[in-house]
Amino acid sequence: MSALHPACVLLLGHLWASCRGLHIPPHGEVARVARFVAHRCDWASMATVSTHKPVVGQPFSNVFSVSDGPDGSGSGVPYMYLTRMEISVQDLKANPQASLSMTLAQTHYCKQQGFDPQSPLCAHIILSGSVMEVNGTEADFAKEALFSRHPEMIGWPSDHNWFFAKFNITQVWVLDYFGGVKTVTPEEYFQAAPDGKHR
Ligand SMILES: *[C@@H]1O[C@H](CO)[C@@H](O)[C@H](O)[C@H]1NC(C)=O
Ligand SMILES: *[C@@H]1O[C@H](CO)[C@@H](O)[C@H](O)[C@H]1NC(C)=O
């Protein structure tokens, strides 16, 4: 059993479970860390190549709700619920290549541990790849993944023509612990054991 942070030891009763739940995989297991962060985070910053004046051709970073699966059933694939009315989705129509970043600064973990969001101790990941619409059974999974963790989406206006999409990962970059960025191939990432139920 790994050592608990003193902050965890001080926590009482019902908070205990959530503290234990923030057990990050060992930083040597880079692919597992990436899967952990991807599953823990409910939203991501997504950069597209802008098609909008006055920043045509420049990176454009925006916030999106994501889910790689219902709590405890992470697939590793970040799913999104998008509308073509949205500014970044308009960029994706011209160029589907994008980059997603997610960080444990979105959870209580980094603050509890006293890790600044830019510190490599506050684990964060950057995904390179492209955004693709999904259909059929994959869209069914995307719907369950997203609506279970973002219930407000169920009531979003239907005249916006929402559709389900996935982030098709081509490279995973992991900033966790010292020593610079580590890379993980999509194969290594998807083979890594997903972490269990933790909320
Ligand atoms: C689902 O998407 C795939 C690939 O994008 C496409 O080939 C297929 O025709 C689509 N199926 C339906 C039912 O739209
Ligand atoms: C999706 O990602 C895989 C690598 O995981 C890559 O080989 C494939 O070309 C990508 N597909 C698209 C449409 O970008």
Side-chain angles (χ1 to χ4, degrees):
M1 190 178 157
S2 49
L4 287 169
H5 187 276
C8 295
V9 177
L10 291 172
L11 284 172
L12 302 167
H14 66 284
L15 288 175
W16 178 251
S18 67
C19 191
R20 278 181 60 215
L22 283 167
H23 252 166
I24 302 178
H27 53 77
E29 296 181 36
V30 184
R32 275 187 70 203
V33 171
R35 289 288 297 271
F36 182 90
V37 175
H39 186 53
R40 281 294 302 179
C41 293
D42 290 326
W43 57 273
S45 168
M46 180 168 70
T48 52
V49 178
S50 184
T51 54
H52 293 89
K53 282 182 194 159
V55 292
V56 174
Q58 295 181 26
F60 187 82
S61 179
N62 192 355
V63 170
F64 287 87
S65 295
V66 297
S67 171
D68 80 333
D71 181 26
S73 314
S75 65
V77 179
Y79 289 101
M80 292 181 277
Y81 194 44
L82 303 175
T83 166
R84 292 185 176 82
M85 298 165 80
E86 209 280 329
I87 184 168
S88 300
V89 178
Q90 291 168 0
D91 296 340
L92 293 170
K93 192 179 175 209
N95 180 353
Q97 290 181 324
S99 174
L100 273 191
S101 66
M102 293 179 248
T103 165
L104 291 185
Q106 293 168 232
T107 71
H108 297 301
Y109 174 76
C110 296
K111 249 189 193 133
Q112 266 170 7
Q113 305 283 314
F115 298 155
D116 188 87
Q118 194 175 319
S119 165
L121 295 173
C122 180
H124 44 294
I125 63 172
I126 298 144
L127 306 177
S128 300
S130 60
V131 178
M132 302 164 60
E133 184 168 356
V134 294
N135 58 28
T137 53
E138 190 167 16
D140 295 340
F141 182 81
K143 183 176 182 178
E144 191 196 350
L146 286 156
F147 287 12
S148 62
R149 291 172 61 175
H150 301 279
E152 188 191 302
M153 285 178 170
I154 298 163
W156 285 358
S158 57
D159 63 354
H160 284 36
N161 296 313
W162 299 95
F163 63 95
F164 294 100
K166 71 169 168 189
F167 194 86
N168 186 48
I169 300 169
T170 56
Q171 177 79 296
V172 180
W173 311 80
V174 180
L175 283 152
D176 176 36
Y177 207 66
F178 304 109
V181 73
K182 301 177 188 83
T183 56
V184 173
T185 65
E187 292 71 27
E188 292 164 337
Y189 174 81
F190 288 115
Q191 274 164 19
D195 74 298
K197 205 162 180 75
H198 46 61
R199 272 157 207 259

